[in-house]
């Protein structure tokens, strides 16, 4: 049986308005209402002013939304300190470290943006604490101006890491080892949820600072896909073949309104580690989309920009308007290819009742050195 995200809340934590749903039932329900919902969204698009080009580019990569608007200030980075393997000297903080006898300094020409796909529909609104939807897609975009490259680090939402948990009244209780996707759930559905995600990702990566975040949900997937006239993918697995005949492994499919959500968001919760198959499909989509979108931009930069409109109710971000132009220039000047898409290796992976992914900390630390540091 296919379900949308497949999370279960830990014992003792309540969730109101849960977004975990049976995929077959959910699919038919959405089909019945799709025309009216899309019409209202598109009409809203036409009534609002344009976004910057880079706004779209960033959200497209996250797969789960479109548009950027100011909601919080830029995160304060001065408080972060690196915590890594026993072979690393942590006394000097993350900026200057020693790893296996070699001294390194942090690459200050890096900008990191956390891209969060939320398991919900409609506008992103404040909820009671512990009742927010879960994050199913978590990607860290690493823009490296010094080396003129972009790397996407795809993080499994089942990754076990430190997560801050609040009471239903909003009081911080403590931190617990939880699945990374729950970091969004334990917040308020908006800024606190995003900040929780930032905290957990920073902790997982040895306190490497996350500069910005963008969170959005599934309501904009069809619009995103349509702006490049449908993303064409080669289906990487048979996870959806039972319910979608076109999604046989190896098939080449151009995604449309009828299947874009299924391709990017579903996981088989009857199978252990079902999220791994969903992440394979997400990777395929990302790589194809970037190629198609950049072709559109290079052919008609301003024409592409003119088609993009603001949908701030469907997105949360810390990126300010002044930062847009700087990031746009950087984004259009760097390279990205298949080898720059990285998923951390696992040291252990426990199945039922809840899938738990444990990263290989030594392998991850070596990748952190490669991506974020320069020899001193």
């Amino acid at each position: 049986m296919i379900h949308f995200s497949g999370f279960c809340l830990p014992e003792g934590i309540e969730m109101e308005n849960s977004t975990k749903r049976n995929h077959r039932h959910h699919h038919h329900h959405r089909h019945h209402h799709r025309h009216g919902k899309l019409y209202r969204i598109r009409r809203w698009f036409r009534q609002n002013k344009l976004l910057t080009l880079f706004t779209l580019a960033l959200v497209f990569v996250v797969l789960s939304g479109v548009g950027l608007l100011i909601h919080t200030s830029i995160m304060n980075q001065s408080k972060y300190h690196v915590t890594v393997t026993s072979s690393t000297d942590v006394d000097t903080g993350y900026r200057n470290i020693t790893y296996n006898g070699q001294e390194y300094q942090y690459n200050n020409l890096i900008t990191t943006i956390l891209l969060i796909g939320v398991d919900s529909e409609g506008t992103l609104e404040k909820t009671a604490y512990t009742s927010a939807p879960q994050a199913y897609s978590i990607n860290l975009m690493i823009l490296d101006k010094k080396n003129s490259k972009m790397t996407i680090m795809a993080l499994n939402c089942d990754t076990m890491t430190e997560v801050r948990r609040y009471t239903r009244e909003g009081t911080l209780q403590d931190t617990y080892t939880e699945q990374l996707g729950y970091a969004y759930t334990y917040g308020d559905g908006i800024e606190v949820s995003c900040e929780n995600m930032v905290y957990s990702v920073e902790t997982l990566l040895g306190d490497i600072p996350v500069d910005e975040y963008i969170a959005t949900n599934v309501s904009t997937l069809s619009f995103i896909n349509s702006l490049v006239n449908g993303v064409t993918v080669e289906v990487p697995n048979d996870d959806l073949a039972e319910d979608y005949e076109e999604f046989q492994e190896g098939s080449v499919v151009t995604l449309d309104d009828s299947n874009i959500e299924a391709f990017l968001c579903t996981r088989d919760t009857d199978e252990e580690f079902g999220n791994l198959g969903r992440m394979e499909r997400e990777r395929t989509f990302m790589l194809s989309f970037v190629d198609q979108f950049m072709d559109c931009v290079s052919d008609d930069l301003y024409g592409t920009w003119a088609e993009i409109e603001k949908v701030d109710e469907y997105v949360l971000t810390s990126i300010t308007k002044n930062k847009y132009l700087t990031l746009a220039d950087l984004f259009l000047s760097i390279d990205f290819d298949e080898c720059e898409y990285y998923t951390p290796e696992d040291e252990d992976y426990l199945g039922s009742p809840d899938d738990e992914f444990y990263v290989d900390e030594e392998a991850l630390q070596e990748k952190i050195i490669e991506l974020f540091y320069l020899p001193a």
Side-chain angles (χ1 to χ4, degrees):
M1 182 180 299
I2 301 291
H3 291 269
F4 190 79
S5 68
F7 281 108
C8 296
L9 279 178
E11 183 177 356
I13 297 297
E14 301 179 26
M15 173 175 283
E16 298 176 353
N17 303 321
S18 173
T19 58
K20 182 178 179 182
R21 42 198 181 267
N22 180 279
H23 174 67
R24 289 190 182 89
H25 174 77
H26 172 63
H27 170 70
H28 292 301
H29 177 76
R30 279 181 56 81
H31 180 76
H32 180 71
H33 295 284
R34 179 178 292 116
H35 176 76
K37 184 180 292 184
L38 287 179
Y39 173 78
R40 290 193 298 272
I41 292 175
R42 286 167 179 161
R43 183 177 64 181
W44 195 93
F45 290 164
R46 291 195 296 270
Q47 294 172 347
N48 290 268
K49 58 186 179 178
L50 304 177
L51 261 188
T52 66
L53 174 63
F54 186 64
T55 295
L56 177 67
L58 291 179
V59 178
F60 275 16
V61 177
V62 75
L63 307 176
S64 311
V66 64
L68 291 172
L69 187 69
I70 301 173
H71 286 280
T72 60
S73 61
I74 297 175
M75 303 298 296
N76 183 350
Q77 299 178 22
S78 62
K79 67 181 186 303
Y80 301 120
H81 301 283
V82 69
T83 304
V84 292
T85 61
S86 58
S87 56
T88 303
D89 177 6
V90 300
D91 292 339
T92 58
Y94 76 89
R95 292 193 176 279
N96 296 281
I97 66 172
T98 300
Y99 181 73
N100 288 343
Q102 171 68 52
E103 294 184 356
Y104 296 91
Q105 61 184 14
Y106 187 77
N107 180 358
N108 290 320
L109 296 180
I110 280 180
T111 299
T112 54
I113 305 169
L114 183 61
L115 309 171
I116 309 165
V118 180
D119 183 5
S120 70
E121 296 178 345
T123 59
L124 292 173
E125 299 176 342
K126 189 170 184 177
T127 68
Y129 282 80
T130 77
S131 297
Q134 300 146 13
Y136 71 93
S137 176
I138 305 163
N139 297 273
L140 186 67
M141 179 186 290
I142 304 161
L143 303 174
D144 184 350
K145 183 176 181 180
K146 181 176 180 61
N147 295 302
S148 298
K149 71 174 185 177
M150 176 176 74
T151 302
I152 294 176
M153 181 182 291
L155 300 173
N156 194 323
C157 59
D158 295 331
T159 301
M160 303 301 291
T161 190
E162 188 173 305
V163 172
R164 293 187 298 201
R165 191 186 295 176
Y166 294 78
T167 66
R168 292 182 63 81
E169 291 72 36
T171 301
L172 179 63
Q173 289 182 310
D174 206 338
T175 58
Y176 300 83
T177 300
E178 303 275 10
Q179 291 167 314
L180 178 58
Y182 285 129
Y184 198 91
T185 303
Y186 295 141
D188 62 351
I190 48 176
E191 282 86 356
V192 175
S193 288
C194 292
E195 291 162 2
N196 265 8
M197 291 296 301
V198 167
Y199 172 84
S200 292
V201 170
E202 288 175 335
T203 301
L204 179 66
L205 300 183
D207 292 338
I208 292 295
V210 173
D211 299 314
E212 312 289 353
Y213 64 75
I214 304 169
T216 186
N217 64 15
V218 302
S219 287
T220 52
L221 290 179
S222 293
F223 179 71
I224 291 171
N225 190 53
S226 68
L227 285 180
V228 292
N229 297 317
V231 174
T232 299
V233 297
E234 181 175 340
V235 181
N237 55 54
D238 279 330
D239 286 6
L240 304 179
E242 181 179 347
D243 294 293
Y244 294 85
E245 183 177 353
E246 68 269 35
F247 289 154
Q248 305 288 331
E249 182 175 353
S251 298
V252 176
V253 179
T254 298
L255 300 172
D256 58 30
D257 288 359
S258 70
N259 56 25
I260 178 71
E261 183 178 329
F263 189 82
L264 292 177
C265 302
T266 55
R267 60 187 287 182
D268 190 342
T269 56
D270 286 342
E271 295 290 334
E272 290 186 341
F273 323 133
N275 190 52
L276 297 179
R278 190 202 62 79
M279 291 182 68
E280 285 183 337
R281 297 193 303 276
E282 181 179 83
R283 178 182 185 275
T284 301
F285 180 91
M286 280 191 174
L287 295 175
S288 297
F289 177 85
V290 170
D291 285 342
Q292 291 178 233
F293 180 70
M294 294 312 294
D295 285 344
C296 294
V297 173
S298 61
D299 289 343
D300 187 3
L301 175 63
Y302 294 102
T304 302
W305 183 353
E307 294 181 7
I308 305 168
E309 301 184 10
K310 183 167 61 179
V311 285
D312 62 296
E313 290 179 298
Y314 298 88
V315 67
L316 296 165
T317 184
S318 63
I319 299 176
T320 65
K321 184 176 181 180
N322 288 337
K323 194 70 176 287
Y324 288 169
L325 296 178
T326 301
L327 292 176
D329 288 341
L330 176 58
F331 184 82
L332 295 175
S333 68
I334 60 180
D335 296 324
F336 174 69
D337 56 38
E338 184 173 349
C339 66
E340 300 301 335
Y341 191 99
Y342 168 72
T343 302
E345 303 172 27
D346 65 289
E347 184 175 56
D348 196 7
Y349 208 144
L350 303 180
S352 298
D354 294 322
D355 291 344
E356 297 180 359
F357 181 91
Y358 295 85
V359 298
D360 183 329
E361 293 185 2
E362 189 68 24
L364 179 59
Q365 181 58 29
E366 290 176 1
K367 194 66 177 182
I368 289 170
I369 296 292
E370 175 188 334
L371 293 175
F372 296 100
Y373 287 89
L374 304 168

